[in-house]
Amino acid sequence: MAEAFDKFKASLNRGITTISVKTSSSLEKTKLKTHMDSLRTEIQRLFSEAGELSYNKWVNGDPDCSALEKMFEDIRQKQDTIAELTEQLGAIDERDSQILGSKAEKAPAAPSNLVCPKCGAVYENPVKFCRSCGTKMPE
């Protein structure tokens, strides 16, 4: 009886840890992705302004490109920031994998089994949502 209780307790602790890690990671990822989206929007605005500015300079015969150079530097800086944030997203996934165990530990699926497209969990019986990561399962 004590052994069964210990197994149940360990299983419950793993479940709580999984929920905690995934919730925390989801919040971190959402913040990073929101920041990346705002940077992409800003880059598009800068490209538009740079195009309009360069056309006006061409029409007016103005050879001074210092304002354009500043815009291009801002674009490059924002692109570099996006690359750094993308690396941070990968680091979050790697950290989660280390905490929760890697996907390689899951059993390979038999042809008739249902496999979660996100985390690779295998189900013999049909389920609507993955019990490991919550992803909606394909029908």
Side-chain angles (χ1 to χ4, degrees):
M1 178 80 165
E3 184 179 323
F5 180 73
D6 289 341
K7 285 182 180 180
F8 174 74
K9 183 178 172 184
S11 176
L12 185 61
N13 285 339
R14 278 192 306 272
I16 291 170
T17 300
T18 299
I19 290 170
S20 176
V21 168
K22 289 188 179 275
T23 301
S24 173
S25 296
S26 178
L27 290 172
E28 287 179 72
K29 287 177 166 182
T30 300
K31 282 187 209 177
L32 292 174
K33 289 177 181 178
T34 301
H35 188 197
M36 290 167 66
D37 287 342
S38 68
L39 289 171
R40 287 184 185 109
T41 300
E42 184 66 16
I43 287 171
Q44 289 303 318
R45 184 188 64 75
L46 286 169
F47 273 135
S48 179
E49 287 179 9
E52 187 174 336
L53 180 61
S54 63
Y55 175 76
N56 288 335
K57 286 185 172 293
W58 178 77
V59 167
N60 296 326
D62 184 1
D64 181 24
C65 293
S66 60
L68 285 172
E69 289 174 3
K70 166 116 177 58
M71 286 179 159
F72 295 152
E73 288 172 7
D74 287 348
I75 290 170
R76 172 60 66 176
Q77 181 183 18
K78 290 176 187 334
Q79 289 172 334
D80 291 344
T81 302
I82 289 172
E84 291 171 9
L85 294 173
T86 301
E87 288 178 14
Q88 289 179 22
L89 285 173
I92 290 171
D93 288 338
E94 180 64 30
R95 180 195 68 203
D96 290 354
S97 178
Q98 290 176 352
I99 293 171
L100 301 174
S102 69
K103 294 177 186 176
E105 294 173 2
K106 300 201 184 290
S112 62
N113 291 345
L114 185 61
V115 179
C116 175
K118 184 173 181 183
C119 73
V122 179
Y123 298 97
E124 292 179 18
N125 298 320
V127 292
K128 291 187 177 189
F129 295 92
C130 176
R131 293 181 193 122
S132 295
C133 68
T135 299
K136 183 172 170 118
M137 299 297 280
E139 307 225 2

